[in-house]
Short mmCIF file of all heavy atoms in Angstrom, two decimals:
data_model
loop_
_atom_site.label_atom_id
_atom_site.label_comp_id
_atom_site.label_asym_id
_atom_site.label_seq_id
_atom_site.Cartn_x
_atom_site.Cartn_y
_atom_site.Cartn_z
N GLY A 6 -33.26 11.51 -28.40
CA GLY A 6 -33.13 10.59 -27.28
C GLY A 6 -32.01 11.04 -26.34
O GLY A 6 -31.45 12.14 -26.50
N PHE A 10 -22.33 8.72 -22.86
CA PHE A 10 -21.11 8.46 -23.61
C PHE A 10 -19.91 8.61 -22.66
O PHE A 10 -19.93 9.41 -21.72
CB PHE A 10 -20.97 9.43 -24.79
CG PHE A 10 -21.97 9.18 -25.87
CD1 PHE A 10 -23.23 9.77 -25.83
CD2 PHE A 10 -21.67 8.33 -26.93
CE1 PHE A 10 -24.14 9.55 -26.82
CE2 PHE A 10 -22.61 8.09 -27.95
CZ PHE A 10 -23.86 8.71 -27.88
N ILE A 18 -2.17 0.73 -14.64
CA ILE A 18 -2.29 -0.64 -14.16
C ILE A 18 -2.98 -0.58 -12.80
O ILE A 18 -2.61 0.25 -11.95
CB ILE A 18 -0.93 -1.31 -14.02
CG1 ILE A 18 -0.20 -1.33 -15.36
CG2 ILE A 18 -1.09 -2.75 -13.50
CD1 ILE A 18 -0.88 -2.16 -16.44
N TRP A 38 -25.85 12.82 -22.93
CA TRP A 38 -26.01 13.67 -24.10
C TRP A 38 -27.40 13.56 -24.68
O TRP A 38 -28.05 12.50 -24.59
CB TRP A 38 -25.03 13.24 -25.21
CG TRP A 38 -23.58 13.61 -24.95
CD1 TRP A 38 -22.74 13.08 -24.04
CD2 TRP A 38 -22.85 14.59 -25.67
NE1 TRP A 38 -21.51 13.68 -24.10
CE2 TRP A 38 -21.54 14.59 -25.10
CE3 TRP A 38 -23.12 15.47 -26.71
CZ2 TRP A 38 -20.53 15.43 -25.56
CZ3 TRP A 38 -22.12 16.30 -27.19
CH2 TRP A 38 -20.86 16.31 -26.61
N VAL A 55 -15.40 6.51 -14.05
CA VAL A 55 -15.31 5.09 -13.73
C VAL A 55 -13.96 4.58 -14.18
O VAL A 55 -13.26 5.23 -14.96
CB VAL A 55 -16.42 4.25 -14.40
CG1 VAL A 55 -17.79 4.68 -13.88
CG2 VAL A 55 -16.33 4.40 -15.92
N CYS A 58 -11.70 -2.08 -16.61
CA CYS A 58 -10.65 -3.06 -16.86
C CYS A 58 -10.60 -3.36 -18.35
O CYS A 58 -11.64 -3.63 -18.98
CB CYS A 58 -10.93 -4.34 -16.07
SG CYS A 58 -9.77 -5.69 -16.40
N VAL A 67 -13.94 4.81 -9.09
CA VAL A 67 -12.54 5.23 -9.08
C VAL A 67 -11.80 4.77 -7.83
O VAL A 67 -10.58 4.63 -7.85
CB VAL A 67 -12.46 6.77 -9.26
CG1 VAL A 67 -11.04 7.27 -9.16
CG2 VAL A 67 -13.07 7.18 -10.59
N PRO A 73 -3.62 -1.50 -3.75
CA PRO A 73 -2.28 -1.60 -4.35
C PRO A 73 -2.16 -2.76 -5.31
O PRO A 73 -2.77 -3.82 -5.10
CB PRO A 73 -1.35 -1.74 -3.14
CG PRO A 73 -2.23 -2.31 -2.05
CD PRO A 73 -3.60 -1.74 -2.29
N THR A 74 -1.37 -2.57 -6.36
CA THR A 74 -1.09 -3.67 -7.29
C THR A 74 -0.03 -4.57 -6.67
O THR A 74 0.61 -4.24 -5.69
CB THR A 74 -0.56 -3.11 -8.63
OG1 THR A 74 0.69 -2.46 -8.38
CG2 THR A 74 -1.55 -2.11 -9.22
N GLN A 76 2.81 -5.26 -7.92
CA GLN A 76 4.09 -4.60 -8.08
C GLN A 76 4.32 -3.57 -6.98
O GLN A 76 5.41 -3.45 -6.42
CB GLN A 76 4.20 -3.94 -9.44
CG GLN A 76 5.56 -3.31 -9.74
CD GLN A 76 5.66 -2.75 -11.13
OE1 GLN A 76 4.69 -2.71 -11.87
NE2 GLN A 76 6.85 -2.31 -11.50
N ALA A 80 7.17 -3.63 -3.86
CA ALA A 80 8.08 -2.53 -3.54
C ALA A 80 7.87 -2.01 -2.13
O ALA A 80 8.82 -1.56 -1.47
CB ALA A 80 7.91 -1.40 -4.55
N ALA A 81 6.61 -2.05 -1.66
CA ALA A 81 6.30 -1.49 -0.34
C ALA A 81 6.83 -2.33 0.81
O ALA A 81 7.21 -1.79 1.86
CB ALA A 81 4.79 -1.32 -0.20
N GLY A 85 9.00 -0.90 3.71
CA GLY A 85 8.38 -0.89 5.04
C GLY A 85 9.26 -1.54 6.09
O GLY A 85 9.36 -1.04 7.22
N ALA A 88 12.09 0.76 6.96
CA ALA A 88 11.63 1.83 7.86
C ALA A 88 11.43 1.31 9.27
O ALA A 88 11.82 1.94 10.25
CB ALA A 88 10.33 2.43 7.31
N ARG A 107 21.16 -7.89 12.31
CA ARG A 107 19.82 -8.47 12.30
C ARG A 107 18.88 -7.64 11.42
O ARG A 107 18.01 -8.20 10.75
CB ARG A 107 19.29 -8.54 13.74
CG ARG A 107 17.99 -9.31 13.90
CD ARG A 107 18.13 -10.79 13.63
NE ARG A 107 19.11 -11.43 14.51
CZ ARG A 107 18.87 -11.82 15.78
NH1 ARG A 107 17.67 -11.60 16.31
NH2 ARG A 107 19.79 -12.41 16.49
N TYR A 120 20.87 -3.73 0.90
CA TYR A 120 20.77 -3.03 2.19
C TYR A 120 21.99 -3.34 3.04
O TYR A 120 22.32 -4.52 3.29
CB TYR A 120 19.50 -3.47 2.90
CG TYR A 120 19.16 -2.69 4.14
CD1 TYR A 120 18.76 -1.36 4.05
CD2 TYR A 120 19.16 -3.31 5.38
CE1 TYR A 120 18.42 -0.66 5.20
CE2 TYR A 120 18.82 -2.61 6.53
CZ TYR A 120 18.44 -1.28 6.42
OH TYR A 120 18.09 -0.58 7.56
N THR A 133 11.01 10.66 11.40
CA THR A 133 10.20 9.60 11.96
C THR A 133 8.86 9.47 11.25
O THR A 133 8.40 8.36 10.95
CB THR A 133 9.93 9.86 13.46
OG1 THR A 133 11.19 9.87 14.16
CG2 THR A 133 9.03 8.78 14.06
N ALA A 143 3.21 -0.43 3.87
CA ALA A 143 3.48 -1.88 3.75
C ALA A 143 2.38 -2.70 4.41
O ALA A 143 1.94 -3.73 3.89
CB ALA A 143 4.83 -2.22 4.37
N GLU A 153 1.91 -10.43 11.47
CA GLU A 153 2.57 -11.05 12.62
C GLU A 153 4.04 -11.37 12.30
O GLU A 153 4.91 -11.12 13.14
CB GLU A 153 1.83 -12.34 12.99
CG GLU A 153 0.42 -12.10 13.53
CD GLU A 153 -0.34 -13.39 13.76
OE1 GLU A 153 0.13 -14.45 13.28
OE2 GLU A 153 -1.40 -13.34 14.42
N TRP A 154 4.30 -11.88 11.12
CA TRP A 154 5.67 -12.23 10.74
C TRP A 154 6.53 -10.97 10.63
O TRP A 154 7.68 -10.94 11.05
CB TRP A 154 5.64 -13.00 9.44
CG TRP A 154 6.99 -13.42 8.93
CD1 TRP A 154 7.65 -12.96 7.83
CD2 TRP A 154 7.85 -14.39 9.51
NE1 TRP A 154 8.85 -13.58 7.68
CE2 TRP A 154 9.01 -14.47 8.70
CE3 TRP A 154 7.77 -15.21 10.65
CZ2 TRP A 154 10.08 -15.33 9.00
CZ3 TRP A 154 8.82 -16.04 10.93
CH2 TRP A 154 9.95 -16.10 10.12
N VAL A 162 15.05 -7.81 15.69
CA VAL A 162 16.03 -6.74 15.58
C VAL A 162 16.29 -6.12 16.95
O VAL A 162 17.43 -5.88 17.35
CB VAL A 162 15.58 -5.66 14.58
CG1 VAL A 162 16.53 -4.47 14.58
CG2 VAL A 162 15.47 -6.24 13.16
N ILE A 180 4.79 0.31 15.76
CA ILE A 180 4.88 -0.36 14.47
C ILE A 180 3.66 -1.26 14.27
O ILE A 180 3.07 -1.30 13.19
CB ILE A 180 6.19 -1.19 14.38
CG1 ILE A 180 7.40 -0.25 14.26
CG2 ILE A 180 6.16 -2.16 13.22
CD1 ILE A 180 8.74 -0.94 14.38
N HIS A 182 0.73 -0.91 15.56
CA HIS A 182 -0.42 -0.03 15.30
C HIS A 182 -0.43 0.43 13.86
O HIS A 182 -1.49 0.45 13.20
CB HIS A 182 -0.34 1.17 16.25
CG HIS A 182 -1.39 2.22 16.00
ND1 HIS A 182 -2.71 2.02 16.28
CD2 HIS A 182 -1.30 3.46 15.43
CE1 HIS A 182 -3.40 3.10 15.92
NE2 HIS A 182 -2.56 3.98 15.38
N MET A 186 -2.63 -3.60 13.70
CA MET A 186 -2.83 -4.65 14.72
C MET A 186 -3.25 -4.00 16.04
O MET A 186 -2.84 -2.88 16.37
CB MET A 186 -1.50 -5.40 14.95
CG MET A 186 -0.98 -6.11 13.72
SD MET A 186 0.70 -6.78 13.91
CE MET A 186 0.41 -8.05 15.13
N THR A 196 5.54 -11.13 22.86
CA THR A 196 5.84 -12.09 23.94
C THR A 196 6.30 -13.43 23.39
O THR A 196 7.25 -14.04 23.90
CB THR A 196 4.59 -12.28 24.82
OG1 THR A 196 4.21 -10.99 25.36
CG2 THR A 196 4.87 -13.22 25.97
#
Side-chain angles (χ1 to χ4, degrees):
F10 291 88
I18 302 295
W38 286 71
V55 296
C58 176
V67 175
T74 64
Q76 184 176 6
R107 189 68 59 81
Y120 189 67
T133 299
E153 293 174 347
W154 180 248
V162 173
I180 289 171
H182 174 71
M186 300 171 67
T196 301

